[in-house]
Amino acid sequence: VTALAAGLLSFGLMIYYIIHAIQNPQVYTNEKIVWVILFVTVSVIAFPIYWYLRIWKRHEIITMSAT
């Protein structure tokens, strides 16, 4: 049961990150292709790296510029 839940969670995160990377205007086209390949092949490593570089850092920059 836990393996099924982990698999579904991983699949859901992969879908989310692929959509986010493709729709993110801050990511260049070539980089989008690389991210999608990384999400499909080494998702466990790519998810936290993308989150740190493209989601958390961007939020941090927006927050700092607003103050």
Side-chain angles (χ1 to χ4, degrees):
V1 174
T2 56
L4 177 64
L8 290 174
L9 178 65
S10 179
F11 184 72
L13 283 172
M14 182 177 10
I15 299 297
Y16 169 77
Y17 279 114
I18 288 172
I19 291 171
H20 191 277
I22 290 172
Q23 293 182 347
N24 189 347
Q26 302 296 322
V27 180
Y28 297 111
T29 303
N30 293 339
E31 188 181 352
K32 289 178 184 187
I33 295 168
V34 171
W35 279 118
V36 170
I37 292 170
L38 287 172
F39 293 149
V40 172
T41 57
V42 288
S43 56
V44 174
I45 298 168
F47 291 163
I49 293 171
Y50 180 84
W51 176 82
Y52 178 76
L53 293 175
R54 292 298 179 184
I55 297 174
W56 187 66
K57 283 280 213 177
R58 176 156 166 69
H59 177 71
E60 183 179 85
I61 292 168
I62 291 170
T63 305
M64 289 175 61
S65 66
T67 57

